[in-house]
Amino acid sequence: MKSNSSIHLFLVFFIIFISLSCKNDKLKNNIQPTSNAEEIISEPTIDTVDIAIINGKIVDGTGKKVYSANLYINADSIVYIGNLTNPDIKIKKTIDANGNYVSPGFIDLHAHGNPLSTPDFENFLAMGVTTIVLGQDGSSANVKDLKAYLDKVNQQNLGVNIIEFVGHGTLRNLTGIGVKSKITKEELESLKIALKDQLNYTFGLSTGLEYTPGLYAEENELLALAEVVGEQNKMIMSHMRNEDDDALIESIKELSRQGTKARVHISHLKSVYGKGKVRANQILDTIKKIRKSGIQLTADMYPYMASYTGIGIVFPDWSKTQQQFKIAKSTRRKELEDFIRNKVNLRNGPEATLLGSAPYKGMTLAEAAASKNKPFEQFLIEDLGPQGSSGAYFVMNKELQETFVKDSIIGICSDGSKTGHHPRGHGTFAKIIETYVVKDSILNLEEAVRKMTSYAAEILQLKKRGSLTIGNKADILIFNPKNIKSPANYVNPHQLASGFEKVFVNGKLVRENEQLAKELNGIVLLPE
C-alpha cells in the first residue's frame, strides 16, 4: 500500500511538472521579451508592410516606461511593434526615427474651429494633435440635420480627426426656446427629441452654463437631458455654471448631480482668482470624493494662466443679450456699473484683461479705458457692451494650476482654435512637453503623453486610438522632447509650435519637418 501511494504521489507531481513545462514553452514561443523587459507579441504572418518606423523609443501612451522597438503600419493601422526578422518581407517605406520618441498622436478634449473654413487645422498638427473634439461650450453646428453636416465635413481635406458634441445652447436655439428660463413640458420634450436624434452622430452633449442661452437652463432641464445622454451611454462635457473660486465647488456639485444619469466631464478646469496648492487640493478632493461615490466624473485643463472669452463674462446675467443690456443701461445703470466694477476687480482688476478685438486689440482694459478718459466700468458699458469684444483674462494662479496638471485624473485640452486670439490654440500640447516635462520636470514624459493620449481616449470611450497597440489606428508622432517649442504668445498667438518632426494621421505622413502635405488624412469619427 505504501509503495503504491508513493508511485501515485510521484505520478501526480510528474503530471504537474509536465503541465507547467508545456505552459512555459507555449509562453516562450508566443512572447519574446525585449532587452528592457517589454513584452512583444510573436511576428505576424504578413508579406508586406507599408511603413516601418525603425530605431524609435516607444512611449506607448499608457504610462508604461519607454522602450526601444520598431513599429510597422499597414493602411491605417499598426500591425506590429517589435522587430520583424522575416528576410522576405517587403517594406515599402522605412522611416528611421534615429533614437527619437514615437508616441500616439495627441487627443484634444476641448477645441474650437470651423472644419468647413479651416479644414487643415495645421495649428493642431504642429503641436502633435491628431484628433480634436468640437461642438463645445454648448455651441455646435447650427443645423437640424447634423448627419448631413458631418458628411460634408468628412468630404473636406481634414488635417485631423474630428469628434463632434451636440451643443445644449444650439438645441435651445434650434427648438425656439432661446433664452427662456421657465420652459414648458412641451418645450422640454422638444429638446429631448432633438438631443436624442443628434446623439446618434455625436459623442455626447456639451453645455455652456456661463453663456447665453445655456445660463438660463434650470436644473430640472439639465437632469432631463442628462437622462437622455445616459440612455445612449454618451457623456456631458460642461463649461460649468461658474468658475469663480467662491462658486466653483457648487458648480462641480451641480454637474455631479447630472452625473447620476450620465458620464460627466469638467471642461477646462480652473479656479478664477483661487490661489495656492491647498485650494487646488480642496477642489481635487471634491472631484475625487464624487468619483468614489460611483459617479463617472473627469476633467481637463490647459497650461496657461489666462482664459479667453467674450467680454460678456464680466456683465451680469440680466444684461447679457442686446435687449437686456439696453434695458439695464436705462433702468439699472448704477447697479450695472457696481456689478462690473466689483466683478473686474475680483478678477485681478482691469490690468489683468487684455482685449483681443479691434480697435482695442492688444490693449489692457485699463489702457483702453484711459484712452477714453473713463473709469473702466463706464468704458465697458458705453464703448463695448457685452458683445463688443473678446479678451484674455489673467485670472489663474500658477501654483494652483500646476497642482491640477500633476494630478492623474486631469486630462489636457487647448480650448483653442486656428483663428482664436489666445496662444493655447497653437501652443498647448507643445507647452506641456516644453515647460512641464523638459524645463520644470513637473511631469515625466510617459505621464504627460498618457494624459494627452490614452487617458483622453478613455474619457471619450474612443476605440482603437490613444495608444500604440497592435490593431490601433496609426495616429503617430516622432519627436525629440528637447526640440519641442511653443512660441505662441498673447501678442502673437498664431505662431505654430515646432519640434514634432513627423505626424501621421490614420497611417499617412501628413506633416514632416514643419511642412504640411497637400493631401491630408483626417476623418470624422462617429460613435460605435
Side-chain angles (χ1 to χ4, degrees):
M1 291 293 292
K2 186 175 180 180
S3 176
N4 288 339
S5 297
S6 298
I7 293 171
H8 178 72
L9 189 60
F10 172 80
L11 288 173
V12 170
F13 279 119
F14 181 77
I15 291 168
I16 292 172
F17 174 78
I18 293 298
S19 176
L20 289 172
S21 296
C22 291
K23 186 176 181 180
N24 286 335
D25 286 341
K26 186 176 181 181
L27 286 170
K28 288 177 182 177
N29 288 333
N30 286 284
I31 299 177
Q32 303 169 5
T34 64
S35 59
N36 52 22
E38 287 293 326
E39 292 185 343
I40 303 296
I41 298 174
S42 59
E43 291 188 38
T45 306
I46 51 177
D47 299 322
T48 61
V49 167
D50 291 337
I51 300 172
I53 300 173
I54 64 171
N55 300 323
K57 296 176 182 176
I58 304 293
V59 51
D60 69 4
T62 67
K64 293 179 182 177
K65 189 175 179 180
V66 172
Y67 64 97
S68 297
N70 300 332
L71 186 147
Y72 302 88
I73 301 169
N74 269 343
D76 65 353
S77 299
I78 299 167
V79 292
Y80 188 63
I81 303 171
N83 182 24
L84 292 176
T85 59
N86 179 3
D88 298 323
I89 196 166
K90 181 182 178 183
I91 297 176
K92 297 179 183 178
K93 183 175 183 177
T94 298
I95 294 175
D96 193 340
N98 291 311
N100 288 324
Y101 291 87
V102 181
S103 83
F106 303 147
I107 299 170
D108 191 338
L109 284 165
H110 184 114
H112 296 277
N114 184 346
L116 297 181
S117 60
T118 61
D120 63 81
F121 286 118
E122 187 178 9
N123 59 305
F124 292 106
L125 291 173
M127 57 178 171
V129 172
T130 55
T131 300
I132 64 175
V133 182
L134 299 178
Q136 299 285 5
D137 298 323
S139 180
S140 56
N142 190 35
V143 295
K144 288 187 176 181
D145 189 350
L146 190 61
K147 184 179 185 302
Y149 167 79
L150 292 175
D151 286 344
K152 187 175 181 181
V153 169
N154 212 25
Q155 294 167 9
Q156 308 304 306
N157 188 29
L158 294 175
V160 295
N161 301 312
I162 290 175
I163 287 172
E164 188 78 12
F165 271 62
V166 54
H168 164 244
T170 300
L171 291 180
R172 269 183 151 249
N173 290 332
L174 286 173
T175 54
I177 296 170
V179 298
K180 288 181 64 175
S181 56
K182 301 287 185 182
I183 67 173
T184 66
K185 290 183 179 179
E186 291 75 20
E187 287 171 330
L188 179 57
E189 192 61 30
S190 70
L191 270 180
K192 290 167 66 177
I193 290 170
L195 173 61
K196 188 174 182 179
D197 174 63
Q198 297 209 357
L199 282 176
N200 289 321
Y201 318 108
T202 59
F203 281 67
L205 173 71
S206 80
T207 59
L209 302 184
E210 215 168 9
Y211 300 132
T212 302
L215 64 88
Y216 299 103
E218 296 184 341
E219 188 161 23
N220 65 322
E221 174 185 329
L222 297 173
L223 289 172
L225 296 179
E227 190 168 0
V228 175
V229 175
E231 286 171 354
Q232 294 200 34
N233 191 29
K234 302 295 175 67
M235 86 177 314
I236 298 168
M237 282 191 164
S238 183
H239 177 131
M240 297 185 298
R241 184 79 65 180
N242 195 325
E243 297 177 326
D244 289 353
D245 188 67
D246 61 356
L248 180 59
I249 297 296
E250 182 49 46
S251 295
I252 294 171
K253 289 179 178 178
E254 180 188 35
L255 181 59
S256 74
R257 291 191 288 274
Q258 297 162 45
T260 62
K261 312 287 186 182
R263 292 179 289 123
V264 287
H265 182 84
I266 301 168
S267 290
H268 43 62
L269 177 66
K270 66 178 73 70
S271 178
V272 174
Y273 65 78
K275 291 179 174 62
K277 183 177 180 180
V278 171
R279 182 55 177 159
N281 283 323
Q282 289 173 346
I283 296 163
L284 289 169
D285 287 346
T286 298
I287 295 172
K288 291 172 183 179
K289 185 177 180 180
I290 291 168
R291 285 163 60 90
K292 284 182 180 178
S293 75
I295 291 171
Q296 297 181 66
L297 172 64
T298 50
D300 61 48
M301 64 171 290
Y302 50 80
Y304 292 87
M305 299 308 116
S307 61
Y308 192 94
T309 192
I311 199 69
I313 199 77
V314 301
F315 284 73
D317 289 352
W318 39 267
S319 71
K320 299 277 191 182
T321 69
Q322 289 291 358
Q323 183 179 4
Q324 289 172 333
F325 180 56
K326 184 178 179 181
I327 295 170
K329 277 199 299 184
S330 63
T331 65
R332 304 172 71 175
R333 176 61 181 252
K334 184 179 185 305
E335 188 181 357
L336 182 60
E337 286 189 12
D338 289 345
F339 181 97
I340 292 172
R341 185 189 313 110
N342 293 334
K343 184 83 167 180
V344 171
N345 283 332
L346 195 60
R347 294 163 65 90
N348 297 333
E351 297 83 6
T353 295
L354 183 67
L355 298 175
S357 304
Y360 305 105
K361 182 179 179 181
M363 298 174 70
T364 68
L365 174 57
E367 290 169 338
S371 73
K372 294 287 188 176
N373 294 312
K374 296 177 182 179
F376 68 82
E377 63 271 21
Q378 292 181 19
F379 170 77
L380 284 171
I381 293 169
E382 296 169 5
D383 296 271
L384 290 184
Q387 278 97 39
S389 183
S390 57
Y393 307 86
F394 292 84
V395 292
M396 279 107 85
N397 173 259
K398 187 173 186 288
E399 184 181 17
L400 184 145
Q401 293 298 117
E402 287 182 353
T403 303
F404 283 167
V405 83
K406 287 188 286 189
D407 199 283
S408 63
I409 66 169
I410 306 300
I412 303 299
C413 77
S414 73
D415 193 14
S417 72
K418 185 171 183 178
T419 57
H421 298 288
H422 191 296
R424 65 194 183 195
H426 286 67
T428 289
F429 290 80
K431 183 177 172 66
I432 289 289
I433 293 177
E434 179 188 22
T435 300
Y436 294 134
V437 174
V438 176
K439 181 183 175 184
D440 296 338
S441 299
I442 289 173
L443 298 169
N444 63 42
L445 181 62
E446 292 91 339
E447 174 62 4
V449 171
R450 182 194 71 84
K451 282 174 170 286
M452 299 187 289
T453 57
S454 71
Y455 185 52
E458 177 187 334
I459 288 169
L460 295 164
Q461 293 192 352
L462 184 61
K463 298 178 181 178
K464 293 191 176 298
R465 296 182 199 268
S467 65
L468 299 183
T469 305
I470 293 174
N472 272 12
K473 300 301 180 182
D475 297 338
I476 296 171
L477 310 174
I478 301 176
F479 63 97
N480 180 342
K482 294 180 180 178
N483 294 337
I484 302 299
K485 304 296 177 188
S486 54
N489 56 48
Y490 294 97
V491 177
N492 297 300
H494 296 154
Q495 298 180 79
L496 293 174
S498 61
F500 291 99
E501 296 177 11
K502 293 178 173 61
V503 181
F504 296 81
V505 176
N506 296 310
K508 180 176 180 178
L509 184 58
V510 297
R511 197 168 190 272
E512 181 176 15
N513 299 325
E514 320 297 329
Q515 298 297 313
L516 191 67
K518 289 183 180 180
E519 295 295 325
L520 304 175
N521 209 34
I523 60 174
V524 173
L525 303 181
L526 297 175
E528 297 180 14

